[in-house]
Amino acid sequence: MLRSLKTIQAYKLDESMSLNEHPWLQYIVSAEERMVNLERVQSLQDLVNANPVLDYVEKSLEALDRLQMSFWIQEVVEEVLIWSEVAKGGTVRQRVLWQKQGVHLMAHNIGSSEIYEWHSSPLHSEARRHVICTLIQTHGLIGQYLRGEVPFAVQRPLMELIQSGLLAASELKELLLVLNQCILEAVSRELWVEIAQQIAEVIELIVDKEEDSGFSLHNRLKRLRASSISRGENFEQEFAKLSVQPAVIEAFQALDSKTLWFVEAALHEFSFEEFAKLFLIILGSDSTQQADHISFERMMNDMYYDYRGQKKINVYKKRIIEKYLRECSFEDIALARFTNSGHLSPQLKQAGPQSDTVYFHMEFSAAADKLIQFCIEAEKSPLYEKAVLMLFDLFELRRDAYDRFHNEEEYLSMMNQTADYKKVILDFIVGNRVVDIGPGGGVMLDLIEETFPDKQVIGIDISQNVIEALERKRQLENRQWMVLQGDALNLKEYVKPGSIDTVIFSSILHELFSYVEYEGKTYNHATVAAALRSAFDVIPIGGRIIIRDGIMSEPAEQQRIITFMDGEGMQWLERYAKDFAGREIQFVRLGTDEVQMPINDAMEFLYTYTWGEEAYVHEVQEQFGYFTPSAYESFIHTVLGPQAGIVVSRHLLQDGYTEALSPRIRIFNEQREPVSLPDSTCLIVIQKQM
């Protein structure tokens, strides 16, 4: 076993052992700040009680211990590995002292090589010390080059080891292969296997003292967007859009000499256009023009928080930054005409003695930061709605999209689990062009394409983030449907009147009813009327509108008695009645765990009760049933007139409600006779007539 591994294991068994003879380990274990790339961290809470830098060094040494090589190669690589992370360590006081001494703490490979030089053994030859110092200084740069974070020029100190005669080309090649295998296997064995060939190709360029002629701006940006591309970003299409703006491309040429830190961890959740705008802001700054390094560490740290033990993107900050960038054109940024916001602004700062480094982040005002933190703390509580609406007011965001703020991935995934319920819609589609309003996770788009491959299918959603997610899905799965960002209440602005044969509202009209502020209020039947008129405007004679949505029971005067089988049911109802804003929820307590309620109040509550605590903050804002069947038909005829023929009008109990509620409640009529749950969902098909 390597001596350094034995030292680490001894320390873990006895943390009080003296480390005076092992300054590299003393620096690493004394770290009072966690300087970690959050890209590969699963839980921020784990960082409180862990030392990920020590764990990483230990894993890299374990990888070295498994490999077969000459003793000389192993000894050199071991020394490089134990010193390459020391600039991430040290107490706060030690780090302040290092800064005063000029140690480059931001570029930790450079800083670590500087610290190593102070501690290198006088027993080693100057040549050996120089080789090790150079390998520490360039530690990880081959991987960073493959990720687009550094230009090829940073590898030149390695080439100079051959040119100066300190190493033969074969020696440098073996050292770099072993070193990079250890570095990558410390992250994951799979990562090493995945990119080992690419690593070997870069090493060949280094030892042959050649430049990489293929490292263009296009290729560098493509490498920087690798994570986004793997999730479906159409990079070539997005880069082509950028290429038609010569001033933007010219500004990006400044990247040629820049080293980037933490860029993917900070920016991979943003679209390519947003990514490009952020870089244009950075590259247009005078301070950046003089810098060699651009660090996104502060922005990376700002973009995540811990949610039930898992690292989670700070979607609140992300949405607000996205809005800021949407309001800035490339031309505005090039002319330094930024959006005037008192609560958000781009910041570029130099820190410490290194004038060659700038730190970039989007800075929120103290009030905005505290409000965002309040939203995070309010998740899963009745305060959440109030907190989010205050945030929307502060940044003038659209309220009708705020249910997508929290757990958006889970929301879209849940939407994709409803495929079986939506298949019935397929039987009523007519014509060649079909629009799905509010496509969510894209399940309806997929069903239509798979069933009718010759039809042109379009999804329209108000949320830019949903559109981006669907575009990624379309790219990854090679789907033929398309998506547009648009307002369901004004469809003729996006599609030509008379050009759409079928418009589908699948579980979306109740969301428009609940969330969209129309004529000054939400929970508004006029919103549903506007959506139906909007759809009716774009279909021809013979065209159809298909509605699948919540339904109320009739006669509405019926009463239901609910007996709660668990101890929390009554508290749930009291909380729901207080929080629900759609209408007053009426109930009369008959006992400790029993109430009598109007049938539609009972069902509106039970829909939310079914979904449980995880979904409460959203479901309590939505009124699922907003018409009885006969009232819906009458409403359609009133709103759309005699041209609207209702060719199908059904209602049913959606699968799952009975099974989900049966262990939790018993339901009776007024005579205390057991009854089934009433129908929850309607299917209405409207055909445009002469």
Side-chain angles (χ1 to χ4, degrees):
M1 180 183 291
L2 298 174
R3 286 175 296 177
S4 53
L5 273 177
K6 291 179 181 178
T7 302
I8 291 173
Q9 291 181 5
Y11 167 77
K12 286 187 170 182
L13 291 172
D14 179 13
E15 293 187 2
S16 65
M17 67 177 281
S18 173
L19 296 177
N20 291 336
E21 296 180 8
H22 311 286
W24 59 273
L25 183 56
Q26 187 174 36
Y27 291 143
I28 292 172
V29 301
S30 64
E32 295 173 357
E33 299 176 5
R34 293 290 184 257
M35 298 183 62
V36 181
N37 187 335
L38 298 184
E39 189 179 347
R40 299 188 181 277
V41 173
Q42 297 302 311
S43 171
L44 303 186
Q45 185 60 38
D46 290 347
L47 299 180
V48 176
N49 301 315
N51 189 329
V53 177
L54 177 60
D55 293 341
Y56 170 80
V57 172
E58 184 176 22
K59 288 177 182 177
S60 68
L61 291 167
E62 288 171 346
L64 178 63
D65 204 36
R66 291 191 296 267
L67 298 176
Q68 297 295 317
M69 72 205 74
S70 69
F71 177 75
W72 176 79
I73 294 288
Q74 184 186 69
E75 191 176 50
V76 170
V77 173
E78 180 180 12
E79 186 116 3
V80 173
L81 291 175
I82 64 176
W83 283 98
S84 289
E85 304 293 319
V86 293
K88 294 180 179 179
T91 63
V92 172
R93 184 177 179 180
Q94 176 69 70
R95 295 182 66 78
V96 170
L97 178 60
W98 281 341
Q99 281 192 317
K100 290 179 179 178
Q101 294 170 323
V103 175
H104 207 311
L105 295 181
M106 196 291 297
H108 70 270
N109 54 325
I110 298 174
S112 294
S113 68
E114 292 167 342
I115 295 169
Y116 165 77
E117 286 191 276
W118 297 340
H119 292 278
S120 57
S121 172
L123 299 177
H124 295 158
S125 68
E126 183 178 344
R128 176 192 167 99
R129 290 198 300 272
H130 183 69
V131 167
I132 292 173
C133 188
T134 301
L135 291 172
I136 295 171
Q137 180 187 338
T138 57
H139 174 270
L141 292 185
I142 292 178
Q144 285 184 265
Y145 170 72
L146 290 175
R147 288 159 61 98
E149 295 170 342
V150 300
F152 192 78
V154 300
Q155 316 293 347
R156 285 176 187 155
L158 294 170
M159 299 177 183
E160 290 168 3
L161 292 177
I162 299 174
Q163 291 171 335
S164 63
L166 292 176
L167 288 176
S170 59
E171 292 174 326
L172 179 60
K173 181 177 179 178
E174 185 175 1
L175 277 168
L176 291 177
L177 281 170
V178 172
L179 180 58
N180 280 276
Q181 181 170 352
C182 294
I183 291 169
L184 291 166
E185 285 198 1
V187 176
S188 78
R189 169 68 180 168
E190 293 73 23
L191 179 60
W192 164 248
V193 172
E194 178 185 343
I195 66 171
Q197 182 58 40
Q198 297 175 61
I199 293 286
E201 290 170 1
V202 176
I203 291 173
E204 288 292 343
L205 291 173
I206 293 170
V207 298
D208 291 340
K209 301 183 288 299
E210 295 181 10
E211 296 289 338
D212 186 353
S213 58
F215 195 63
S216 61
L217 174 64
H218 169 277
N219 287 345
R220 185 169 189 186
L221 293 180
K222 188 172 184 178
R223 293 178 188 190
L224 287 169
R225 298 298 289 174
S227 175
S228 302
I229 292 169
S230 71
R231 294 183 295 116
E233 177 176 280
N234 189 336
F235 173 82
E236 299 300 337
Q237 177 179 298
E238 295 299 323
F239 185 80
K241 293 178 187 176
L242 197 70
S243 299
V244 300
Q245 303 183 65
V248 176
I249 294 297
E250 183 180 351
F252 264 102
Q253 299 302 330
L255 273 182
D256 285 351
S257 61
K258 310 298 182 188
T259 293
L260 307 175
W261 297 88
F262 307 110
V263 60
E264 190 167 14
L267 302 185
H268 75 276
E269 290 277 352
F270 291 95
S271 71
F272 181 84
E273 180 178 322
E274 292 155 358
F275 165 92
K277 285 180 176 179
L278 287 169
F279 263 100
L280 197 59
I281 291 170
I282 295 166
L283 296 171
S285 166
D286 291 339
S287 59
T288 304
Q289 293 172 15
Q290 307 303 318
D292 296 323
H293 303 275
I294 303 171
S295 174
F296 291 84
E297 182 183 10
R298 294 178 183 178
M299 187 164 181
M300 172 188 71
N301 291 334
D302 272 352
M303 292 307 298
Y304 297 99
Y305 68 97
D306 211 69
Y307 177 79
R308 295 194 172 185
Q310 291 293 314
K311 180 188 70 177
K312 186 173 180 64
I313 186 74
N314 192 321
V315 72
Y316 309 96
K317 290 188 174 182
K318 179 173 180 282
R319 295 290 182 271
I320 295 164
I321 293 170
E322 288 168 342
K323 178 179 183 290
Y324 180 93
L325 294 172
R326 279 197 297 272
E327 293 173 353
C328 293
S329 69
F330 282 110
E331 182 182 6
D332 289 335
I333 296 172
L335 296 173
R337 296 194 307 237
F338 300 127
T339 301
N340 183 16
S341 169
H343 295 287
L344 179 64
S345 60
Q347 294 293 323
L348 275 159
K349 296 180 180 178
Q350 294 177 337
Q354 286 80 36
S355 60
D356 66 344
T357 303
V358 293
Y359 293 81
F360 174 78
H361 73 293
M362 295 295 287
E363 187 171 85
F364 289 80
S365 69
D369 243 344
K370 285 181 169 58
L371 186 51
I372 291 168
Q373 189 59 40
F374 179 43
C375 288
I376 292 171
E377 295 298 325
E379 288 175 2
K380 307 303 180 211
S381 84
L383 291 172
Y384 181 73
E385 178 203 5
K386 297 176 182 177
V388 169
L389 291 181
M390 283 192 290
L391 193 66
F392 270 62
D393 286 340
L394 186 65
F395 286 97
E396 299 179 349
L397 295 166
R398 290 181 63 102
R399 292 188 179 197
D400 55 304
Y402 86 86
D403 64 316
R404 306 282 170 83
F405 246 136
H406 182 62
N407 286 346
E408 181 176 85
E409 291 181 3
E410 291 87 339
Y411 170 81
L412 294 178
S413 175
M414 180 180 71
M415 292 300 99
N416 281 343
Q417 294 170 10
T418 61
D420 290 342
Y421 304 145
K422 297 186 176 185
K423 283 182 179 177
V424 66
I425 290 172
L426 301 175
D427 295 336
F428 304 100
I429 291 173
V430 295
N432 294 318
R433 299 191 78 207
V434 182
V435 165
D436 180 26
I437 303 296
V443 62
M444 194 75 238
L445 301 175
D446 289 346
L447 284 172
I448 299 170
E449 180 178 307
E450 291 161 6
T451 308
F452 306 109
D454 294 333
K455 294 189 187 301
Q456 183 180 358
V457 188
I458 305 167
I460 296 181
D461 201 289
I462 193 67
S463 168
Q464 178 65 29
N465 302 97
V466 170
I467 296 299
E468 289 172 5
L470 287 170
E471 282 288 2
R472 291 193 296 268
K473 170 182 167 69
R474 187 173 73 88
Q475 181 77 7
L476 281 175
E477 300 177 9
N478 195 29
R479 296 287 181 177
Q480 300 306 305
W481 44 254
M482 60 180 292
V483 288
L484 298 173
Q485 184 181 15
D487 186 347
L489 306 190
N490 295 287
L491 289 177
K492 61 186 177 183
E493 292 187 11
Y494 315 100
V495 293
K496 184 179 177 181
S499 67
I500 303 300
D501 300 299
T502 302
V503 177
I504 298 170
F505 292 98
S506 180
S507 295
I508 195 67
L509 282 175
H510 76 275
E511 292 194 4
L512 299 179
F513 172 80
S514 302
Y515 290 118
V516 175
E517 188 172 303
Y518 188 78
E519 296 178 343
K521 64 178 183 177
T522 54
Y523 301 101
N524 191 350
H525 289 114
T527 312
V528 180
L532 293 178
R533 281 193 295 266
S534 171
F536 210 61
D537 284 343
V538 300
I539 61 173
I541 301 301
R544 287 181 171 181
I545 298 171
I546 303 174
I547 301 168
R548 179 188 175 279
D549 214 355
I551 200 76
M552 300 173 81
S553 295
E554 52 188 359
E557 298 77 25
Q558 297 175 82
Q559 296 282 311
R560 288 293 180 263
I561 296 171
I562 299 174
T563 302
F564 293 107
M565 307 304 292
D566 60 47
E568 297 181 350
M570 187 64 75
Q571 289 84 355
W572 258 84
L573 175 57
E574 291 172 343
R575 174 185 175 189
Y576 179 83
K578 179 181 177 182
D579 294 341
F580 182 63
R583 65 174 186 270
E584 182 183 357
I585 298 296
Q586 301 177 23
F587 65 93
V588 176
R589 293 186 64 150
L590 303 179
T592 305
D593 295 308
E594 193 169 71
V595 295
Q596 181 169 326
M597 305 177 66
I599 188 170
N600 289 312
D601 287 356
M603 289 311 301
E604 200 61 55
F605 160 67
L606 290 175
Y607 296 138
T608 296
Y609 190 48
T610 301
W611 288 102
E613 186 68 29
E614 282 289 317
Y616 179 83
V617 293
H618 306 303
E619 295 298 323
V620 74
Q621 309 308 322
E622 297 182 10
Q623 183 170 319
F624 189 54
Y626 46 95
F627 283 125
T628 64
S630 61
Y632 217 146
E633 292 185 23
S634 176
F635 179 80
I636 289 168
H637 288 308
T638 300
V639 170
L640 301 181
Q643 272 195 293
I646 298 176
V647 295
V648 176
S649 182
R650 304 176 186 168
H651 42 92
L652 64 146
L653 177 63
Q654 184 170 302
D655 291 343
Y657 282 124
T658 299
E659 292 78 1
L661 288 169
S662 59
R664 306 176 73 185
I665 66 161
R666 297 289 181 267
I667 187 166
F668 308 92
N669 61 19
E670 294 173 79
Q671 290 73 45
R672 287 195 172 273
E673 298 167 335
V675 292
S676 301
L677 295 173
D679 289 347
S680 62
T681 307
C682 69
L683 177 68
I684 299 174
V685 180
I686 305 166
Q687 186 160 305
K688 194 171 189 176
Q689 301 171 339
M690 291 290 292

